[in-house]
Amino acid sequence: MYTTKRFEAAIPVDEYLEKYVDVDTFLERCKACPNYDGKWSCPSYDFDVIEYWKKYNTLELTAVKIIFDEDYAGKEFPEDEILRITESSVKKIKQELSDELLSREQEIPDSISLSAGSCILCEGECARKEKKPCRFPDKMRYSLESLGGNVGMTISKLMGIELEWMQEGKLPHHFVLVCGLLRK
């Protein structure tokens, strides 16, 4: 159904902040998402995002391109089938990346991972919607985009990958999951 291709890059955090982070623009985009103020991994935050970045020296990026084979790529499917295909591919790879990065955090002192998109640890509703603390604070991580990172520009300039946006009723040729590890 699909194959994957992995890409990696590293960049000093100060350079990443200068070239790829625009907190105000991405905060506005986040406000349009139902996860805004609804998941602990998503804005609004009670901390300064730029200061969060500045605690670290290096950002190690990992991108996994999920490439659909010709029976699926660019083809039209009913919405429920697109959801099934998406969940069976993206969710699996996202979990693998998350597990890998949490393991790397254990190996590298003073590091923290950045997830590929918003948190999916709670299968149902995030505790934030109930005004309760995160159920998994040891595993919940922020994403690049939630911290103002321009993921499209990041993977284009640093990895040579272009995003392909989904069109209604049509599966894209590929998805790209982007995550990272911040190191001191």
Side-chain angles (χ1 to χ4, degrees):
M1 176 158 86
Y2 65 89
T3 56
T4 60
K5 187 171 180 183
R6 186 180 177 109
F7 300 81
E8 294 178 348
I11 185 170
V13 167
D14 58 349
E15 182 181 345
Y16 191 76
L17 279 169
E18 180 184 325
K19 294 180 177 178
Y20 300 97
V21 174
D22 183 346
V23 174
D24 293 338
T25 297
F26 287 93
L27 181 62
E28 282 305 308
R29 291 182 185 170
C30 285
K31 286 179 181 177
C33 177
N35 292 334
Y36 184 84
D37 279 338
K39 286 191 175 191
W40 286 113
S41 63
C42 297
S44 66
Y45 296 131
D46 63 356
F47 60 87
D48 184 303
V49 171
I50 298 298
E51 291 305 314
Y52 186 88
W53 284 105
K54 287 182 175 181
K55 292 188 288 187
Y56 302 95
N57 296 318
T58 305
L59 171 59
E60 295 176 356
L61 294 157
T62 301
V64 174
K65 187 174 183 180
I66 301 167
I67 307 158
F68 294 104
D69 66 29
E70 64 185 40
D71 293 335
Y72 294 89
K75 302 278 170 57
E76 291 187 23
F77 291 95
E79 282 301 315
D80 61 330
E81 184 67 6
I82 287 177
L83 186 61
R84 186 195 67 75
I85 294 166
T86 301
E87 284 189 354
S88 68
S89 57
V90 173
K91 193 173 182 181
K92 177 182 181 285
I93 302 299
K94 184 173 179 167
Q95 187 61 56
E96 289 171 3
L97 285 168
S98 179
D99 292 345
E100 175 187 330
L101 286 168
L102 288 173
S103 181
R104 290 202 57 219
E105 283 180 25
Q106 299 303 308
E107 299 165 10
I108 302 168
D110 300 320
S111 66
I112 190 85
S113 59
L114 299 173
S115 73
S118 67
C119 182
I120 57 170
L121 291 169
C122 295
E123 292 295 324
E125 292 276 310
C126 176
R128 185 173 186 178
K129 289 203 175 192
E130 302 165 11
K131 302 201 181 333
K132 293 182 180 173
C134 178
R135 293 180 189 104
F136 303 101
D138 57 323
K139 293 182 180 176
M140 186 281 296
R141 297 294 181 267
Y142 307 112
S143 66
L144 285 164
E145 56 270 33
S146 78
L147 297 173
N150 185 329
V151 172
M153 188 188 307
T154 297
I155 64 171
S156 173
K157 302 260 188 215
L158 297 175
M159 298 175 178
I161 309 169
E162 296 302 323
L163 289 179
E164 182 181 352
W165 298 101
M166 266 182 78
Q167 297 174 5
E168 192 169 331
K170 204 181 240 189
L171 198 65
H173 291 82
H174 67 268
F175 287 120
V176 181
L177 295 178
V178 185
C179 55
L181 187 72
L182 286 166
R183 299 177 64 160
K184 290 198 175 186

